[in-house]
Amino acid sequence: MTKDRTLGEHMSRRGISRRAFGKYCAYLASTMALSPKMAPAMAQGLAAARRQAVIWLSFQECTGCTESFTRSYSPTLEDLIFDFISLDYHHTLQAASGEAAELAREQSMEENKGKYIVVVDGSVPTKDGGVYSMIAGHTNVDILASTIENAFAVVAVGTCAAFGGLPYAKPNPTGAVAISELVGNKPLINIPGCPPVPEAMTGTIAHILAFGSLPELDDKHRPLAFFGESIHDRCYRRSFYERGLFAKSFDDEGARKGWCLYEVGCKGPIAYNTCATTKWNGGTSFPIQSGHTCFACGSPNFWDQGGFYKSLPSRTSSIGTVAGATAAAGVALGAGAALIAANRKKQYSKET
Amino acid sequence: MDLLSFARGPALQFAIGVFCFGVTWRLAILLFTPQARDLTPARKGALPSPIAGGREVFRRMWPEIHPTGSNMFTTINGYVFHLGLAVIVFGFAPHIQLIKSIFGTAWPSLPNFVIHIAGGVTIASLIAALVKRLTSPVLRLISTLDDYISWAVTIAPLITGYMLVGRLIQPYNTALAVHILSFVVLLIWLPFGKLMHAFIVFISRARTGAYLNHRGAQL
Ligand code: SF4
């Protein structure tokens, strides 16, 4: 596909009608909480958009994010967005390997200076000079720094890239850090999740293509349209939570009746993500609908929240030893002070 | 470490340490300080001291309004916020979960609307108690800094809790952390101020009951 072809032209070659495309843009606009009036503008912007160069860097990751995107409900118009972007470098998907692959990255950077988007999945190890993850003899830190230098924006995909994720979990043996710690002032979008919802990714890219700017972000650089509300706020089991009806285990009567999963460890109240509304597999379901708890996998430190099956208010550090030791110290000091006072009193009454 | 992890982890651990130390320290002083023995014989018909003490603990839980009604507000308002606090602490599902994670025991929770009503009533009642303290010349005179700090650390978790469930602080994580931290402050202050009455009240009432019974006072 030539880089000069617009998305509109690409669409008609794929046999997608203007009407279907218009509907898709209306859907995108609504998932991104844009006013319905923005849908035609989005359609117009997208139709006129030229191929966007994307360089996808994979660092300390499990490829789950790529798996999620490539296995998104297909064939859909979301595919079109992926088809349309010029994915110039991606370890898992590119045909080239070795030096040819690295050359493709450098060439794309040169040809699209200031215009290309860098998508990153995985965290970056910084300990011991960053030796725990190297590509073509270069550390992830160096590759990231050189690749983002002339990028238009950086998109950190998945919780590892956005917040450190699993590699960052205690004891973080590789000194992993989130991408946000290494990009300086470069425009950054975080699309966390383990893996992230594909629509959050395509929606964000579509927004950039249509409007040439980043979508509205929250304080953690997440697109507000997808991460503005918590799972708890949008959960269909919420009425059970309000009524105090909780499943006590995964196969009790409460669980079978679809009651709230708060007591079996649901982290929905602290999870800001779009699963409860967008859902997975083309809107089929999401973890809570399937009878499991939400892990808050798109939140910082979700791996270290005190246990996936411990309820949210549970203490996260051991208290028994501290309570026992301090109580013993209190009794010893209090009893000692009382005895000293009693002795003094005795002495005083002897003297007088 | 983010604020919520800090609140749920080291902050709560530290506060529980201070709380356990403070409570046991003060109780040990109270219980181990030798008391002057009452050598007088007990009055005729006096009950055994443990029974008299226990009876007094329960007897004083029953509200007694003075015939002139002068203690009406303090008595009723006192009941309202104490009961309100009990409903919120022991009836709200997340609180029961915290208690379960510490003591390993849990019980069914109350519906959230009951907790919301109890929260509103308790906050109003505590504000009324403060207004009474500030407007009554006698109460104001005998009030110390301890009274005001104890009031503030008691109402703070209620207010932060209300802001949490009402989503007045965003995001939820920050609101939850602020709520837990306000509870942490309460735990740290409790043993060293007048809130220690939560533990001492039973000892002092029992002792008073036993003493007055020994002396033959009509209770
Ligand atoms: S299942 Fe989870 S997200 Fe849903 S209402 Fe219960 S606690 Fe909230």
Side-chain angles (χ1 to χ4, degrees), chain B residues 34-131:
Chain B
Q35 307 291 314
R37 280 180 61 204
D38 190 345
L39 299 173
T40 58
R43 284 294 171 100
K44 210 169 139 215
L47 294 165
S49 289
I51 295 176
R55 190 186 63 171
E56 190 63 2
V57 169
F58 288 104
R59 196 187 69 80
R60 290 197 180 212
M61 280 184 182
W62 197 247
E64 262 181 54
I65 307 287
H66 194 270
T68 60
S70 58
N71 64 344
M72 176 94 87
F73 172 80
T74 338
T75 308
I76 294 175
N77 198 45
Y79 268 88
V80 169
F81 70 72
H82 277 93
L83 288 174
L85 283 170
V87 167
I88 297 161
V89 172
F90 299 112
F92 191 36
H95 297 162
I96 298 171
Q97 288 304 304
L98 175 66
I99 295 169
K100 186 183 169 195
S101 78
I102 297 173
F103 298 107
T105 178
W107 48 88
S109 59
L110 291 168
N112 284 4
F113 81 90
V114 177
I115 306 296
H116 294 172
I117 293 170
V121 170
T122 311
I123 290 175
S125 170
L126 279 168
I127 291 171
L130 180 70
V131 170

Side-chain angles (χ1 to χ4, degrees), chain A residues 232-233 241-242 246 262-263 269-270 272 301 305 311-319 322 326-327 330 333-335 338 342, chain B residues 2 8-9 13 16-17 20-21 24-25 28-29 32-34 93-94 97-98 101-102 109 111-112 167 170-173 176:
Chain A
H232 188 61
D233 285 336
Y241 173 89
E242 296 299 340
F246 301 100
Y262 187 79
E263 293 194 3
I270 59 163
Y272 285 78
N301 303 316
Q305 293 284 0
S311 66
L312 188 57
S314 303
R315 62 186 169 81
T316 54
S317 47
S318 95
I319 279 172
V322 174
T326 49
L333 266 176
Chain B
D2 62 291
R8 292 170 74 202
Q13 195 178 33
I16 287 189
C20 290
F21 172 80
T24 50
W25 173 64
I29 289 181
F32 287 110
T33 304
Q97 288 304 304
L98 175 66
S101 78
I102 297 173
S109 59
N112 284 4
R167 296 286 202 277
Q170 287 289 7
Y172 187 91
N173 308 37
L176 181 58

Side-chain angles (χ1 to χ4, degrees), chain A residues 230-242 245-246 258-263 265-271 276 286 288 292-294 312:
Chain A
S230 72
I231 299 294
H232 188 61
D233 285 336
R234 288 288 175 176
C235 181
Y236 72 101
R237 298 191 190 222
R238 179 66 182 267
S239 64
F240 295 114
Y241 173 89
E242 296 299 340
L245 297 173
F246 301 100
W259 290 356
C260 172
L261 302 168
Y262 187 79
E263 293 194 3
C266 185
K267 307 289 185 298
I270 59 163
F286 73 113
I288 291 171
H292 202 275
T293 58
C294 166
L312 188 57

